[in-house]
Structures are given as structure tokens and as C-alpha cells.
Amino acid sequence: MDGNGRWAAQRDLPRTSGHSAAEATVIDVIEAARAAGVRWLSLYAFSTENWSRPGAEVDYLLRLVRRVVRKHAPLLHARGIRCRFLGNTDPRIPAGLARDFADLTLLTSRNQGMTLTVAFDHGGRRDIVEAARSLIRSGAAPDAVDEDAFAAHLPFPDTPDVDLVIRTSGEQRISNFMLWQVAYAEWVFPPVLWPDFRASHFLECLDTYQRRQRRFGGVSAEPNGDEGL
């Protein structure tokens, strides 16, 4: 979800105004994905590298995320969406925000609709390191470690591989996002800044994905009917 700062700069507003304007986009995209039948949606909200931003901006983001979680929890639950948070381990995360994450996770844990994963304080490299540590602690023999065994030690191992990554604002890089899961993802880079991104743009990205042929290193095309965004 990229482009909040540039959106604000184009309007001679502080960067925090761009983050605030992004709230409407988040809800619009969640609703659009659910209506389109997407079963797994992940939103990259805050990376492990984002802690290096100016302290005032980080503090604002933490307060904003807490307000958004509290405000929209009833809607997400009513829509039957299962919510969970990927990352969320840094001790700098305020205790109140961590409680809100845990409360929303528990509230929606039995929902059978779309699974919404919010990557907050997330880093793909850290996930891989933690999975390796978990494997070592389990006492797994080296010859017993294959891709399936390794993936079982990643956070939320039930999450399917990512089929489509949408990165707004035209930036074209991975930025440490779910590195294991995006190995064969399709990528779309719409130029629209995140606060201006709406359901219509999301559906255009889905259409782009559906028109692509996925070969997974082979020669025969696979139909794009998967669900993991």
C-alpha cells in the first residue's frame, strides 16, 4: 500500500495526512476483494524497516492503526472476515495496540469468510530466520528438511502461496514482503497512489492477473483461479 507520502506532498500536506487518507482505501479494497470472491487477502501495513522513519510519523501511524482497528472491527466481524496480524513482535509496539490486534484476532477467529492478514512489523527475511530457528529447535534431521517441512514452521503455515501482489504508486520492488510465499506470484504495479486506489483499480488488477498465463517454470499454462493475494 504505497504512495501515502507522495499523495500528501502533491497537496502540500504533511505525510500524516496521506496515511489518514489511506483508511478509506483499505476498507474499499477489503470490500471489493470479498465481493470478488477472494479468499485470502494480505495488506502490508508496516514493515520491520519502517521503524527507521521519523519518530513523530511512526507514533502517528501506531495511533492511526489502533483507531482503524477499533473503528472497523465490528464491520469486519459482521462480514464474516477472519483477521490476523503477521509480525507484531517488536517491543516498541504499544501494549494497547497489541491487545487490540489480539482482541480482533480472537473475535473473528471462527469466521468462515475471507481471511484478512495484516502484515504489521513484518519482514520476510525475519520470518525465514525464525522458521529456521524453529526447525533447529524441533530437532529435525537435515535430510528430513524439505520445502514443505520448512514452510510448516513459517508464521501462519496454512496461508497459501501468494498468487498476485499489487504494489501501488508504480514502485517495483519486493520490500521484504512474504519472501517465501511470493516465489511464484504475479506482480502488478498500478501507478495510482494508495489513497486514490479504489475498488475499480483493484478489479482491474484482478483482470490483469486472470489474463496472464502461469507456467511455474514449465511450458504449459495454468489457469489463474487461485485466491491468495
Side-chain angles (χ1 to χ4, degrees):
M1 303 186 292
D2 207 8
N4 296 349
R6 276 164 286 171
W7 183 93
Q10 289 175 2
R11 293 159 176 77
D12 294 321
L13 297 170
R15 288 176 57 85
T16 52
S17 296
H19 297 314
S20 182
E23 176 184 347
T25 300
V26 169
I27 300 305
D28 207 38
V29 167
I30 291 172
E31 292 279 34
R34 189 182 68 88
V38 173
R39 299 293 300 173
W40 297 82
L41 176 70
S42 302
L43 300 177
Y44 201 4
F46 192 87
S47 74
T48 50
E49 292 76 26
N50 287 154
W51 290 109
S52 65
R53 293 188 176 190
E57 182 177 353
V58 171
D59 290 343
Y60 180 86
L61 282 167
L62 295 174
R63 293 194 302 272
L64 174 65
V65 169
R66 188 174 192 194
R67 181 180 64 79
V68 169
V69 167
R70 288 188 160 199
K71 176 181 177 182
H72 297 289
L75 172 67
L76 296 170
H77 186 42
R79 293 287 193 266
I81 297 172
R82 180 175 62 151
C83 302
R84 52 193 189 178
F85 296 85
L86 176 64
N88 191 31
T89 62
D90 196 287
R92 288 172 288 186
I93 296 174
L97 178 57
R99 282 196 305 272
D100 289 340
F101 287 167
D103 289 345
L104 182 56
T105 300
L106 179 62
L107 174 68
T108 63
S109 61
R110 296 186 179 182
N111 289 345
Q112 301 295 312
M114 182 176 73
T115 294
L116 171 65
T117 301
V118 179
F120 190 89
D121 179 38
H122 163 67
R125 283 183 171 179
R126 184 177 66 185
D127 285 352
I128 291 172
V129 168
E130 289 300 322
R133 288 174 175 169
S134 178
L135 265 170
I136 293 170
R137 287 193 296 266
S138 74
D143 291 342
V145 177
D146 56 16
E147 291 186 9
D148 289 339
F150 187 89
H153 287 262
L154 289 166
F156 305 135
D158 62 324
T159 302
D161 285 344
V162 176
D163 295 311
L164 169 64
V165 179
I166 301 168
R167 179 158 189 166
T168 58
S169 85
E171 296 288 350
Q172 299 185 20
R173 58 182 182 272
I174 298 175
S175 294
N176 204 14
F177 175 66
M178 298 179 76
L179 295 179
W180 180 274
Q181 296 90 339
V182 302
Y184 273 98
E186 296 291 322
W187 292 75
V188 178
F189 302 104
V192 184
L193 302 178
W194 178 253
D196 291 328
F197 194 80
R198 288 294 179 267
S200 59
H201 300 109
F202 180 79
L203 295 176
E204 287 174 4
C205 292
L206 288 187
D207 181 65
T208 297
Y209 166 78
Q210 290 169 341
R211 287 186 284 105
R212 291 184 181 177
Q213 293 184 342
R214 305 180 74 194
R215 296 183 174 84
F216 298 97
V219 294
S220 60
E222 292 281 343
N224 291 344
D226 302 321
E227 302 165 334
L229 278 71

